[in-house]
Amino acid sequence: MATKENLTPAETVSNATTISQIFDVVARAAPEVRAGLPGRRVAAEGENPSGESQMAADVFADELLCDRLGDLSGVGEYASEEREHPVDVGTGLSVCVDPLDGSSNLKPNNTMGTIVAVYDAPLPATGADVVASAYVLYGATTTMVTARDGTVTEYVIHEDGEYEVCREDVRLPDDPSVYGFGGRVPDWVDSFTAYVREVESDPSMKLRYGGSMIGDVNQVLTYGGVFGYPTLADAPEGKLRVQFEGYPVAHIVETAGGRSSDGSQSLMDVEKEDLHARTPVYVGNEAFVAGVEEALADD
Ligand code: FDP
């Protein structure tokens, strides 16, 4: 039997096939990740490379996804928010994973996600290297949103790992209605606070913030609007990580016809050398993201 190490050239797979396999692995692992949560609502011993405490569920999801994705013959590197360095798993595409996004929502039993970015380059990669992205949302149901080849698709994932398309060619609605921003409000910079007050003054806009980026971004993808985790007074780079959160979410939102920004440029144009580097994140309908950039321009 061909193992990953002894594949002949004829047995190597195309990037397009590998992307499909990555999405398939992630969808099929999702019910297992979900089923593994109830017993893992406790802190793990370690911290992740960003200095945040880990839950047992973070570690569990990371190990599961590393094993499964690392087994794919077209995957060369696996990196996650839970590991200091990428794991060399062969030759091929690089995969960056946030195994359990929003894991502080585990204890109160709220929404969480898994985020996946696929790069055709060694890690750390750039926005131009993104060839596909996806997230799983563990909500009332389990869904997966993928972006590749200019199209965003939403799937519903069943308990046995089978999945089916529930929304094709997902686009941000033209009549946006939700907004949500992370960080403590007193820590926001004044120009950003002023921008948010303006958004709030629009009677058609409603606050929707759940503390899990994927849950919050999925609301924007469903109803239209804006999500951000901004620059904070004591954390100019915000909280979210470029490789694991910024690029994949920007790729999905931009492919769905929206915009992304770090405050002055598309998130896809941000370049940071550190695998775990952070960036402010603003994503949503064009007008809202343009409004953030305008508001922050004078800072
Ligand atoms: P969490 O720390 O719970 O994993 O990835 C970081 C993240 O969640 C995002 O999912 C979420 O948007 C943000 O942090 C929430 O941060 P705050 O607790 O500061 O609101």
Side-chain angles (χ1 to χ4, degrees):
M1 195 180 76
T3 64
K4 215 177 136 154
E5 291 72 36
N6 67 8
L7 286 177
T8 67
E11 290 165 328
T12 58
V13 295
S14 70
N15 284 353
T17 301
T18 300
I19 292 165
S20 300
Q21 291 173 340
I22 290 169
F23 290 165
D24 189 65
V25 161
V26 171
R28 291 183 190 283
E32 285 178 70
V33 171
R34 187 166 189 135
L37 298 178
R40 295 185 173 83
R41 299 166 71 180
V42 292
E45 272 179 19
E47 283 187 341
N48 72 15
S50 303
E52 297 161 347
S53 56
Q54 289 173 311
M55 304 291 287
D58 288 311
V59 177
F60 167 70
D62 175 45
E63 284 170 0
L64 183 74
L65 290 165
C66 183
D67 284 351
R68 302 278 166 85
L69 292 168
D71 270 352
L72 295 177
S73 61
V75 173
E77 280 187 274
Y78 171 90
S80 100
E81 276 200 10
E82 309 305 331
R83 296 168 190 255
E84 184 89 42
H85 303 292
V87 185
D88 181 353
V89 292
T91 308
L93 298 174
S94 302
V95 185
C96 276
V97 175
D98 183 355
L100 213 47
D101 170 70
S103 55
S104 58
N105 271 0
L106 189 56
K107 279 190 182 172
N109 190 21
N110 281 314
T111 302
M112 287 172 295
T114 292
I115 314 174
V116 179
V118 186
Y119 301 98
D120 189 5
L123 300 173
T126 69
D129 300 318
V130 177
V131 288
S133 52
Y135 63 73
V136 170
L137 174 61
Y138 308 100
T141 56
T142 308
T143 53
M144 177 170 77
V145 169
T146 63
R148 70 183 293 183
D149 306 325
T151 305
V152 176
T153 310
E154 185 176 13
Y155 303 82
V156 62
I157 303 175
H158 301 291
E159 276 179 34
D160 60 1
E162 294 299 319
Y163 53 103
E164 59 190 308
V165 174
C166 61
R167 264 204 301 169
E168 274 180 294
D169 196 16
V170 177
R171 309 287 296 169
L172 261 77
D174 291 330
D175 51 346
S177 61
V178 298
Y179 67 93
F181 301 108
R184 292 183 67 247
V185 177
D187 294 337
W188 290 350
V189 297
D190 290 347
S191 52
F192 183 69
T193 307
Y195 164 78
V196 178
R197 298 294 164 252
E198 206 182 302
V199 173
E200 288 172 333
S201 69
D202 178 343
S204 62
M205 295 299 289
K206 289 182 281 192
L207 172 64
R208 288 287 188 272
Y209 184 75
S212 153
M213 180 177 66
I214 287 311
D216 293 324
V217 165
N218 201 61
Q219 299 233 27
V220 169
L221 213 55
T222 307
Y223 294 125
V226 59
F227 164 80
Y229 202 104
T231 288
L232 300 177
D234 58 353
E237 298 304 319
K239 179 178 184 188
L240 303 178
R241 277 138 285 217
V242 180
Q243 305 276 328
F244 302 98
E245 292 159 317
Y247 288 150
V249 161
H251 182 243
I252 289 168
V253 172
E254 290 193 8
T255 305
R259 261 192 68 182
S260 76
S261 179
D262 70 344
S264 63
Q265 61 182 341
S266 163
L267 282 165
M268 301 305 283
D269 295 329
V270 168
E271 289 197 18
K272 301 264 174 99
E273 283 173 12
D274 176 12
L275 180 68
H276 295 278
R278 300 177 194 266
T279 178
V281 166
Y282 311 95
V283 291
N285 288 68
E286 153 78 34
F288 286 104
V289 177
V292 175
E293 289 185 347
E294 212 173 293
L296 299 183
D298 298 332
D299 283 349

